[in-house]
Amino acid sequence: MVGFAVLGCGRIGRMHALNVARHPRATLVTCYDKFPETARAAAAETGAVAADSIEAALAHPEVQAVLIATPTDTHVDLIVAAVRAGKAVLCEKPIDLDMARVDRCWNAIRDRDPLVMIGFNRRFDRSFKAVRDRVAAGEIGAVEQVVITSRDPAPPPVSYIKTSGGLFLDMTIHDFDMARYLAGDIVAVFAAGANLIEPGIAEAGDVDAAMVVLRAASGALVHINNSRRCAYGYDQRIEVFGADGMLQAHNQHATTVEGWTRERTRSRDRVEDFFIERYTQAYNAEIDHFVDCIEARRTPLASFAEGREALRLAEAALQSLRTGAVVRVAR
Amino acid sequence: MVGFAVLGCGRIGRMHALNVARHPRATLVTCYDKFPETARAAAAETGAVAADSIEAALAHPEVQAVLIATPTDTHVDLIVAAVRAGKAVLCEKPIDLDMARVDRCWNAIRDRDPLVMIGFNRRFDRSFKAVRDRVAAGEIGAVEQVVITSRDPAPPPVSYIKTSGGLFLDMTIHDFDMARYLAGDIVAVFAAGANLIEPGIAEAGDVDAAMVVLRAASGALVHINNSRRCAYGYDQRIEVFGADGMLQAHNQHATTVEGWTRERTRSRDRVEDFFIERYTQAYNAEIDHFVDCIEARRTPLASFAEGREALRLAEAALQSLRTGAVVRVAR
Amino acid sequence: MVGFAVLGCGRIGRMHALNVARHPRATLVTCYDKFPETARAAAAETGAVAADSIEAALAHPEVQAVLIATPTDTHVDLIVAAVRAGKAVLCEKPIDLDMARVDRCWNAIRDRDPLVMIGFNRRFDRSFKAVRDRVAAGEIGAVEQVVITSRDPAPPPVSYIKTSGGLFLDMTIHDFDMARYLAGDIVAVFAAGANLIEPGIAEAGDVDAAMVVLRAASGALVHINNSRRCAYGYDQRIEVFGADGMLQAHNQHATTVEGWTRERTRSRDRVEDFFIERYTQAYNAEIDHFVDCIEARRTPLASFAEGREALRLAEAALQSLRTGAVVRVAR
Amino acid sequence: MVGFAVLGCGRIGRMHALNVARHPRATLVTCYDKFPETARAAAAETGAVAADSIEAALAHPEVQAVLIATPTDTHVDLIVAAVRAGKAVLCEKPIDLDMARVDRCWNAIRDRDPLVMIGFNRRFDRSFKAVRDRVAAGEIGAVEQVVITSRDPAPPPVSYIKTSGGLFLDMTIHDFDMARYLAGDIVAVFAAGANLIEPGIAEAGDVDAAMVVLRAASGALVHINNSRRCAYGYDQRIEVFGADGMLQAHNQHATTVEGWTRERTRSRDRVEDFFIERYTQAYNAEIDHFVDCIEARRTPLASFAEGREALRLAEAALQSLRTGAVVRVAR
């Protein structure tokens, strides 16, 4: 059994706490939140003990693994503290908004050969993983094009936008990682953005929709489309086109029911939203993979280095947005 | 070029006249209807000449083929007259409502080894034919179950019901033929009916919905479900289940468009109705096959004998409806 | 928290034990199997204590609820014993193979107004339940036809068939219950069977495929088709056709991935098999509903009476199979 | 009846000749090809008369409409000649590879207020048109994103590539027009290309795959992806995403049949290829619209100006490909 501390018990932290508590090879030892009541609620729900401080949580002798679900600007410090305390780390994305801080973080921990995994949950989605595995098995030949559709049901509050790093760092970061997951290393980035949805987002200096084109080292092209609003739910699709065929992972619906009426036929439910519902299976598989990596001392599928690469693509996209030109991404 | 006379220029006769006129190896020579104006309208539309009488149409030296689309009670006499005039015949279903009359008709023409085809248009539907061809090619192994769904968009007028021979002779006759097309000879029939839609149909002594179970000589079971009303269009589906898999032919929609909104996703158009729109391709392929058979002196896929077999199943279904028991169908 | 004893720790009993153990408002107190090792394995897996005897399990003071997953011929005695011990009961289907024994069971417990639920898991499937709820909400008007497709991936061993009561009691019993769930009370039954798959099943006096037609008190017709073998997985579909439209619940696939290649397009995975995988959500919701009923003293959605009604339909189907005629089912 | 001359009787010219010949309000008067045998074959098939020269064809008193399906470099001269002869013109795309020649052409004919239509057949595809009409009716609110997938089954010979003007002028030109059809005027173009398929295409200085991003005057973003090779057929899809929902037009398959086997389920046929099969309905509707415009003296949906706009976008894409930067498209 792997003992866990969960730091940050907001929406996603609480979900992780429950997933850890239910995992057959994990125990939730303790959880912490800067609002003690939030920590106590999560503790009560899971049978864990609320920690009084981060230090107490990290010092707990039964804690082997630390799950970081606190605000982004605290990530790098917590990663360093946890690694120094000898823990394995699973940290929510992004590592940080600033590449220099990310690199300092890594420099501070690299000598310890730490087990740090970044929360790119989509890598663990059964359908996306099946696409990757089938591509790897050669089912569609060499990958030539990838199309990633990723649209949130509704924009977050503008206040959140302001500290989020903007669309590319906050939202597209997942898609940049999926691009790498499916097409490998990326060498060039072009990004176009738009303000179509929420004037406050424009005022905050961010875009609320985007279309990105990436070029992979393999020569494959990747398209990402994003929107901060999607009437029919949380639109999450992948298409990989290869020399010998295509694989598509479609949206998920809560039921398989089709309705047929005078007006229309074969109607399905709305698409499942939001991420906690849509990626239930993936979040559980993510914990499972992390536990596997701890038990077997393996490098996680979504490593610190992967988290850094996604951030580089987000930075390049921001630069492309500003210049209207392709940005080369050297390794 | 095969010269045609079309007898009966109502809805379906007029459609056939147009299809013949457009066929590259057929010419519409003449058309006849008991209402001269109807014949003249069809003639004007197709460039043919309206005939003054059936006799004149059949006597026309350029007419090799006669297409009979008149009311059912005239079919057998017209078949006999056309065959005696040396013509090939394509007659709309059913041959007649009465088996004795059907047999007398055949006895009157059999010595001439006539080319008589019955209008089981569904045999020529591209999707249904693909199912049959793929079954024949062994794709799903031995056929074990067939499910035929056949629901009309709206009931015909009660006045029509009264002379139609009832649901089984008028509507299910197509499905009986499809059952034979897909599962081969039938040896037993069970039918249940219901009156759920139009009280006038019950008053006319007919049912407006039915579920039928057939047993094929091969041992396969067949289910047919029928309804005289279908809110979402003309529901025409086939499922063939075999030892190694299943083939389904689904409904057709006018476009491939899917709509995604707040309320529902993946919504398609209504199903195409009615038969003239749904079976456009099949009706054209039916004419094509008939022309092929005339040119090559081949037996049509939907022969007089097939028409007689479908009628036998309809009669057995009627008897089963009355008795509540399975009716054996001897060959 | 509701304390549970699970009796019978074979495949389905073990699954239930795990589901109970994971349920937030239930505790698995003890489990029993006639093979002590089987009980110990289930206990180890769930943190429960293996009971030495049924008596010990039923006598445990923390046990409020008994889940019966033992062989069918033990069900009625265990139901009586558990109810007499003051427990709520969730018993796997069928209650028994013999109506007289079922009725004696009920007579022995009825005075206690017992909470007895029968394991008709499909009533709790999210998609089937959505169909029922949407029908109840009037979305498709009055129900006119129901088509239930239910095909197992592969036949059980012939030895099992011999004690199972045959296709209708063992397998179709679920479909009879779904028929009632969707179309209400049934008044007439017709059944046709076939032997197409496994000669040993015929030798055991059973059929391995069937088509059934039911008539509901409402006038609606219901079709059930069954097969003991299905190449593409566990085929579980529902279609409800009403005056104003249709609702279909389709098969489930492990992923949403579609494959496109030279040979074919839009290919999905095999259908999930078998029942434990296909109905994971339903089995959990079943426990949830049972716990709700215990906590709120409500009558379960799948009561003893519902179990008895499904058995009556199975018996009527057997009789129809023998006689080739419709069997009326009086209330 | 509108009398037609068809100039150029290669694959697409011959198809147009047949469509004109079958159209109820059109007559194919004459057809011309620089290979007299090709013209004679088309004439024989349609009942038209082969013309000895373009001059003879244009001079024919019964010819009101000229359909130009000759090689691209002859288009502008033939448009001018036909307009000067007082004819309406339907010219295949692109008008020309060179904008200066296009503008000279227009200047030479504009005073005559000519009826010139460009062969953007996809505007007449029933599904794409339904998307446009439903967008116009407000079904999905303001258009925010358009995704156009357009992949040919197999690359043309390299010899053809060399004179074709390259991917953007030869193939993407259709997609540029669709972008305008669905999102309105375009103000900026970014294009990325790749050489993944056919080395000869790279040697000819062209790309064989591309991803393009356009910005519409409305603010909407458009993505086009192209490939010269597609294993599963002729991939032609449209997705329009708006403030209130999404409309997708999917690929077409020859049948509605789904196959279910041990290995996979719900498999459809390959996608229909190539353009003549896929766009049968659209090509006929195109002729129909052209005849309508002639009869009613209306401006065609795909006018000379539209053809010029698509060419401008293709030129901008070429420039973006060279520079790696967004190209603004002034009006």
Side-chain angles (χ1 to χ4, degrees), chain B residues 2-7 29-30 54-68 77-91 106 109 112-117 290 293-294 297 300:
Chain B
V2 175
F4 273 73
V6 168
L7 309 183
V29 176
T30 186
I54 287 171
E55 293 67 32
L58 295 184
H60 198 297
E62 283 167 33
V63 169
Q64 285 173 266
V66 175
L67 197 157
I68 302 173
D77 290 346
L78 292 177
I79 291 172
V80 171
V83 168
R84 285 188 176 155
K87 313 302 185 191
V89 173
L90 170 49
C91 181
W106 184 245
I109 60 174
R112 293 173 181 262
D113 189 19
L115 197 169
V116 181
M117 176 167 159
F290 183 50
C293 290
I294 292 169
R297 284 302 307 172

Side-chain angles (χ1 to χ4, degrees), chain D residues 63-319:
Chain D
V63 169
Q64 285 174 264
V66 175
L67 196 156
I68 302 173
T70 52
T72 299
D73 59 359
T74 66
H75 286 178
V76 294
D77 290 345
L78 291 177
I79 291 171
V80 171
V83 168
R84 287 188 173 156
K87 314 301 186 191
V89 173
L90 170 50
C91 181
E92 268 304 319
K93 44 61 47 184
I95 303 177
D96 194 88
L97 303 182
D98 181 69
M99 184 62 82
R101 282 167 55 89
V102 169
D103 286 342
R104 278 200 299 274
C105 174
W106 184 245
N107 288 335
I109 61 174
R110 61 191 306 174
D111 290 348
R112 295 174 180 263
D113 188 20
L115 197 168
V116 180
M117 176 167 161
I118 306 302
F120 287 132
N121 57 301
R122 295 185 198 171
R123 289 185 173 230
F124 303 96
D125 175 74
R126 185 156 31 204
S127 296
F128 296 165
K129 186 172 181 307
V131 169
R132 177 170 147 120
D133 290 348
R134 290 166 67 172
V135 166
E139 183 171 328
I140 58 167
V143 171
E144 294 177 355
Q145 303 196 356
V146 175
V147 178
I148 299 172
T149 300
S150 179
R151 297 164 180 156
D152 279 3
V158 172
S159 58
Y160 172 85
I161 294 280
K162 285 177 180 161
T163 64
S164 71
L167 187 82
F168 295 143
L169 279 154
D170 176 47
M171 183 173 156
T172 324
I173 190 104
H174 276 298
D175 307 306
F176 289 126
D177 184 61
M178 285 308 292
R180 289 176 37 76
Y181 185 62
L182 295 166
D185 284 338
I186 301 299
V187 296
V189 177
F190 170 81
N195 287 98
L196 299 164
I197 297 165
E198 167 58 60
I201 292 176
E203 286 157 23
D206 194 10
V207 295
D208 49 29
M211 285 196 168
V212 176
V213 173
L214 309 174
R215 187 186 304 275
S218 70
L221 297 172
V222 180
H223 169 67
I224 297 168
N225 63 64
N226 286 156
S227 175
R228 283 285 194 187
R229 177 185 61 196
C230 182
Y232 50 86
Y234 184 36
D235 193 351
Q236 296 283 294
R237 285 173 286 151
I238 293 285
E239 169 174 321
V240 183
F241 175 78
D244 298 325
M246 174 168 68
L247 291 165
Q248 294 178 314
H250 289 280
N251 276 312
Q252 288 179 190
H253 307 263
T255 75
T256 64
V257 179
E258 282 186 4
W260 303 63
T261 62
R262 252 165 218 92
E263 293 74 29
R264 62 190 74 81
T265 60
R266 311 200 72 159
S267 299
R268 301 288 305 268
D269 310 320
R270 259 173 73 92
V271 174
E272 285 189 298
D273 64 76
F274 198 18
F275 55 91
I276 288 182
E277 293 74 25
R278 167 63 178 82
Y279 287 115
T280 301
Q281 171 270 321
Y283 282 118
N284 278 294
E286 183 183 65
I287 296 293
D288 198 59
H289 177 71
F290 183 49
V291 170
D292 278 355
C293 290
I294 293 169
E295 291 183 341
R297 281 303 305 172
R298 288 199 290 121
T299 302
L301 189 56
S303 65
F304 189 97
E306 300 285 340
R308 187 181 181 280
E309 288 303 307
L311 184 62
R312 284 203 325 141
L313 299 183
E315 287 195 339
L318 268 172
Q319 189 185 333

Side-chain angles (χ1 to χ4, degrees), chain B residues 144-220:
Chain B
E144 293 175 357
Q145 302 195 356
V146 175
V147 177
I148 299 171
T149 301
S150 180
R151 297 165 181 156
D152 280 2
V158 172
S159 57
Y160 172 84
I161 294 278
K162 285 178 180 161
T163 64
S164 71
L167 187 83
F168 295 142
L169 280 155
D170 176 48
M171 183 174 157
T172 325
I173 192 105
H174 275 299
D175 307 305
F176 289 126
D177 185 61
M178 285 309 291
R180 289 177 38 77
Y181 185 63
L182 296 166
D185 285 336
I186 301 300
V187 297
V189 177
F190 170 80
N195 286 98
L196 298 164
I197 297 165
E198 166 56 60
I201 292 177
E203 285 157 24
D206 195 9
V207 294
D208 51 27
M211 286 197 166
V212 176
V213 174
L214 310 173
R215 186 186 303 277
S218 70

Side-chain angles (χ1 to χ4, degrees), chain D residues 49-69:
Chain D
V49 175
D52 290 335
S53 68
I54 286 171
E55 292 68 31
L58 295 184
H60 197 297
E62 285 167 31
V63 169
Q64 285 174 264
V66 175
L67 196 156
I68 302 173

Side-chain angles (χ1 to χ4, degrees), chain C residues 318-329:
Chain C
L318 268 172
Q319 190 186 334
S320 175
L321 193 66
R322 261 182 251 116
T323 60
V326 167
V327 174
R328 309 274 148 201
V329 186

